[in-house]
Amino acid sequence: MNAFTTHVGVMIINMILIEKIITNIKNRERIMQSERLNVISELAASVSHEIRNPLTVTSGFLQLLNKSKTISKEEKQYVELSLLELQRAEKIVSDYLSFAKPQSENMVHSNMKAESEYTKNIIIPYATMHKVEVKFNFNNSLNKSYDRNQIQQCLINLYKNGIEAMKEKDGGTLFIDISEKKQNIIISIRDTGIGMTNEEISRLGKPYYSTKAEGTGLGMLMVYSTIDKVKGSIEVESEKGKGTTFLITIPT
């Protein structure tokens, strides 16, 4: 009897120790991810501002040159290609600027209804183009302080990724649900797309990792950075060939 009691006691202690080890590992990963995002945020903001100015000036001169009647058709084509590349560079800079710290002029204290409806309306034409139906539900009364622009960009990135995941399946449905639970704002974004493997899920939010061939990974990195700023967490559930769900929990 004593041996059995001792064995049970040892098993319970082992289980408690294993649970604490797993919790510590998760906390360490969360802290490391947060530190990485902070470093990227500071570096991106400082570098992007410096790069954007010469890009804008160069783009302006090329647009003037493009209107000139003295350049040849071939030269005009070169200018147009240069402008396209500059636009792509400006897009990358804009993505980096999204990592900057929340700006006071953009800060609001709200339940996210305006931002979620605005971004839903923005993405509907893109969804329609790819034969994707958008189902939207909002039922949240909890308020939170956040940078409006960053939250909007975060939601747009997630909606866009969901829609693009359904392109290969010739359409589908994007489910957007924003609700509340125990003083937390819960944002659920589910698609019926191609899904991801566990390895792909584990690498989401890492710098320069993307599941898309032409992707830079900055979109998802920006999503994780934005949710980190509001002390939120992201859970991802996915099954290959069946779709993906992003479940965001934001404490109020």
Side-chain angles (χ1 to χ4, degrees), residues 165-181:
M166 292 181 269
K167 280 199 298 186
E168 291 180 29
K169 297 182 75 175
D170 199 30
T173 307
L174 181 69
F175 299 89
I176 303 164
D177 185 87
I178 300 171
S179 58
E180 58 183 270
K181 185 180 179 182

Side-chain angles (χ1 to χ4, degrees), residues 20 44 53 60 63 90 95 123 128 170 172 183 203 222:
K20 283 192 173 183
N53 290 335
Q63 285 176 44
E90 284 176 353
D95 285 343
I123 210 72
T128 304
D170 199 30
Q183 298 303 305
R203 296 179 69 185
M222 185 268 168

Side-chain angles (χ1 to χ4, degrees), residues 91-225:
K91 167 74 170 59
I92 293 169
V93 169
S94 295
D95 285 343
Y96 270 113
L97 281 170
S98 300
F99 296 110
K101 290 178 181 178
Q103 303 298 305
S104 57
E105 65 267 23
N106 298 329
M107 293 299 291
V108 292
H109 186 72
S110 177
N111 65 349
M112 296 191 182
K113 186 174 184 180
E115 289 72 34
S116 58
E117 288 188 344
Y118 171 77
T119 50
K120 180 254 298 182
N121 292 334
I122 285 285
I123 210 72
I124 279 177
Y126 188 68
T128 304
M129 188 171 69
H130 293 292
K131 300 177 185 176
V132 171
E133 181 186 2
V134 177
K135 291 192 175 180
F136 177 81
N137 179 58
F138 186 93
N139 186 24
N140 171 54
S141 62
L142 300 174
N143 291 327
K144 177 77 177 180
S145 293
Y146 53 87
D147 183 307
R148 171 176 284 165
N149 288 356
Q150 290 184 0
I151 287 292
Q152 286 177 351
Q153 190 59 47
C154 169
L155 293 174
I156 288 170
N157 285 345
L158 287 171
Y159 299 165
K160 191 167 177 283
N161 283 350
I163 292 164
E164 288 174 352
M166 292 181 269
K167 280 199 298 186
E168 291 180 29
K169 297 182 75 175
D170 199 30
T173 307
L174 181 69
F175 299 89
I176 303 164
D177 185 87
I178 300 171
S179 58
E180 58 183 270
K181 185 180 179 182
K182 296 180 180 178
Q183 298 303 305
N184 290 314
I185 298 172
I186 309 294
I187 302 172
S188 172
I189 299 167
R190 179 166 66 91
D191 66 64
T192 56
I194 56 173
M196 291 182 286
T197 63
N198 288 333
E199 185 187 352
E200 286 172 331
I201 292 171
S202 69
R203 296 179 69 185
L204 285 175
K206 301 292 190 296
Y208 309 112
Y209 173 75
S210 176
T211 55
K212 293 174 282 189
E214 73 283 4
T216 62
L218 292 176
M220 279 310 303
L221 190 56
M222 185 268 168
V223 168
Y224 277 82
S225 176

Side-chain angles (χ1 to χ4, degrees), residues 11-159:
M11 288 284 289
I12 291 169
I13 290 168
N14 283 339
M15 285 173 67
I16 292 169
L17 287 172
I18 290 167
E19 195 173 321
K20 283 192 173 183
I21 289 167
I22 291 169
T23 303
N24 286 338
I25 289 170
K26 285 182 177 177
N27 287 337
R28 188 173 64 182
E29 286 176 357
R30 197 177 294 115
I31 290 166
M32 286 175 67
Q33 175 72 348
S34 184
E35 287 176 352
R36 277 197 296 266
L37 291 172
N38 284 334
V39 169
I40 291 169
S41 173
E42 290 174 15
L43 182 63
S46 59
V47 173
S48 299
H49 279 295
E50 297 303 319
I51 295 174
R52 177 172 262 181
N53 290 335
L55 283 178
T56 304
V57 172
T58 307
S59 178
F61 280 123
L62 281 173
Q63 285 176 44
L64 286 173
L65 185 61
N66 201 33
K67 291 176 183 177
S68 173
K69 294 177 181 179
T70 58
I71 62 171
S72 67
K73 188 177 179 181
E74 189 179 15
E75 287 170 337
K76 191 177 177 68
Q77 190 177 13
Y78 292 153
V79 171
E80 285 172 355
L81 284 171
S82 299
L83 282 168
L84 285 173
E85 285 302 296
L86 276 173
Q87 284 173 13
R88 194 162 70 89
E90 284 176 353
K91 167 74 170 59
I92 293 169
V93 169
S94 295
D95 285 343
Y96 270 113
L97 281 170
S98 300
F99 296 110
K101 290 178 181 178
Q103 303 298 305
S104 57
E105 65 267 23
N106 298 329
M107 293 299 291
V108 292
H109 186 72
S110 177
N111 65 349
M112 296 191 182
K113 186 174 184 180
E115 289 72 34
S116 58
E117 288 188 344
Y118 171 77
T119 50
K120 180 254 298 182
N121 292 334
I122 285 285
I123 210 72
I124 279 177
Y126 188 68
T128 304
M129 188 171 69
H130 293 292
K131 300 177 185 176
V132 171
E133 181 186 2
V134 177
K135 291 192 175 180
F136 177 81
N137 179 58
F138 186 93
N139 186 24
N140 171 54
S141 62
L142 300 174
N143 291 327
K144 177 77 177 180
S145 293
Y146 53 87
D147 183 307
R148 171 176 284 165
N149 288 356
Q150 290 184 0
I151 287 292
Q152 286 177 351
Q153 190 59 47
C154 169
L155 293 174
I156 288 170
N157 285 345
L158 287 171
Y159 299 165

